[in-house]
Amino acid sequence: MDWIFAQPLPLLWSFAGLLALLAAGTVAAGIARVSGSALADDLGPRMQSWWLICALLVGALLMGWQAFTLLFALVSFIALREFITLAPTRREDRLVVLFVYASVLITYWAVWIDNFAYFLVIPPVFIFIATAILMAFFGRTEGFLATAGIMQWGVIVCVFNLGHVAFLMRTPFEEVPEAGPAGLVFILIATTQLNDVAQYCWGKAFGRHKISPKVSPNKTWEGAIGGFLTTAVVFVLLAPYFTPLTLWPSVFVGLLLPIAGFFGDITMSAIKRDLGVKDTSRLLPGHGGALDRLDSLMFTAPLFLHALAYFSLERF
Amino acid sequence: MIWQLFRRFILVFIARPFAMLVIGLDVRGRRHLPTQGPAIIAANHNSHIDTLLLLCLFPSKTLKQVRPVAAADHFLKTRLSTWFSRNVIGIIPVNRKGAQKGEDVLAGCKQALENNEILVIFPEGSRGEAEQMGAFKSGIARLAEALPETPVVPVYIQGAGRVLPRGSRIIVPFNCSAIVGAPFRWCGKKDAFMTRLRDTIETLRADAPPLRWL
């Protein structure tokens, strides 16, 4: 048990809070089922998936950066597999696709050896060029730009952007004595997911004016602004316990995160509409695919890391 | 007995995790899968991955009954492939050329159904071009006619043709879906049975997520 109590206090409190939220959600799902509400069909599986996501995440955060890097390498791979399955590729490009999967290993290797410069340069420079070279060898010219673009997009959003979450876990403890690197990762993910939920709730309650009827008809100005403010307030209140940010930087990051998350969300919606699917897969019952759950994080993670690097972290 | 345990061990602890990683394995209509034999699973065929995928649909307990039907001339070519096909995949070999000599090529399949086993049959006979369905062969109708009480479970498999298309040796991960339809039985007429089988699998295909090649 000593090992548990050696963890930073804010982290333990937040895990306890998370447990309470999950329990509350499960109880709500149970009540919905007993009272025969239509909500139960959606909420039940949704809560089960949340339990799984939280168990994996909290487990990996407690075990340290090694476990966390492996977990996120797997998450990146699953997200990439979903992306490459949905987006059209050409039969000739099968070997290039295999190389694109290998980019997960190459990029997370940079995380593993804690080399931020390698990490920053591998996906956008080396993998980008290598993909184009391989395609020139294997492919035909029709659809070249479209397929190359699809693969490079997949690498950036699924591997590079999500990889930032894993790299955040490599922050030296001395720089974040409040709750350690795990605290940074936790507040990033918690804020991003809270924003999705808050926007949904505000939108359900007060939503009137649609932001972008074509891309995402359920998004309203009321929902978005209510969600932004809720998320920002929660972030500013929690920031002193999890991050080294002072007040005004924390207000800035608190507004940056929900706005980035919002755009990550509608970007993935636009892609799904373009491809003619509603969910990216059925990996997580009640949520859809991995990409449906990770869409906001794909935009918030790199921006969060770079904002922290700008305001306080010397490491990055 | 030992081989049976060995087979289940390989399928559950090696093949299934591998399948989860490489093909994701999304199953719709799992409730239609038989929990015990006799039964016939009929699926479209684009790739060797199809057999792996169908074997991974069953829980460990049912696995010992599941027997893919496969061409003897293809799978019993070398000693290694014979050993692997018989002991790990658990195939029932069918001699595709035996009919000319007047032997009952389906005798092994009928025997298996009488032993309450679950046959996995690809009515196309061999692997077609990726994401296209070839003509169905009528051996499955003769089996259903011989044992008319056997439920036939149609399955549409999508994506396996991209993971490992015919003629390729390299496996590339893509998510695959298996859509299981409601079981039906022999209806008394061969043509009607074959039409029904094909139409059902075509209908299941419409439920699959869209799939595009450029």
Side-chain angles (χ1 to χ4, degrees), chain B residues 148-170:
Chain B
E149 285 308 302
T150 313
V152 177
V153 186
V155 179
Y156 180 72
I157 299 170
Q158 187 189 62
R162 294 206 287 183
V163 176
L164 183 66
R166 182 174 195 159
S168 175
R169 285 164 173 277
I170 296 163

Side-chain angles (χ1 to χ4, degrees), chain B residues 51-121:
Chain B
T51 316
L52 171 78
L53 189 152
L54 289 173
L55 284 171
C56 289
L57 296 185
F58 291 92
S60 169
K61 224 174 73 186
T62 320
L63 262 180
K64 63 171 182 279
Q65 301 178 6
V66 183
R67 310 286 307 272
V69 177
D73 51 287
H74 191 92
F75 290 93
L76 305 186
K77 252 191 259 176
T78 65
R79 275 172 71 184
L80 181 71
S81 141
T82 305
W83 177 86
F84 185 79
S85 304
R86 282 190 188 274
N87 293 311
V88 179
I89 313 289
I91 67 160
I92 296 178
V94 168
N95 184 0
R96 287 194 277 201
K97 299 196 183 80
Q100 293 150 7
K101 295 180 211 142
E103 63 183 76
D104 183 5
V105 292
L106 296 174
C109 298
K110 288 177 190 158
Q111 186 61 48
L113 287 174
E114 276 159 15
N115 293 343
N116 290 336
E117 294 189 309
I118 299 171
L119 293 188
V120 172
I121 293 183

Side-chain angles (χ1 to χ4, degrees), chain A residues 74 77 81-82 84-85 87-91 94-95 97-98 101 140 143 146-147 274-277 281-282, chain B residues 20-24 26-28 129-130 162-166 168 170-175 210-214:
Chain A
L74 183 66
F77 171 74
R81 194 182 64 194
E82 229 166 57
I84 296 282
T85 300
T89 46
R90 304 171 303 172
R91 192 184 160 143
R94 289 177 74 251
L95 287 174
V97 172
L98 201 61
Y101 285 120
R140 56 190 153 101
T147 336
D274 185 14
L275 297 171
V277 292
S281 81
R282 304 194 316 149
Chain B
M20 298 287 272
L21 201 64
V22 172
I23 63 178
D26 174 26
V27 191
R28 301 181 190 204
E129 273 303 302
R162 294 206 287 183
V163 176
L164 183 66
R166 182 174 195 159
S168 175
I170 296 163
I171 292 180
V172 180
F174 285 96
N175 282 346
L211 188 66
R212 295 191 300 184
W213 293 87
L214 264 185

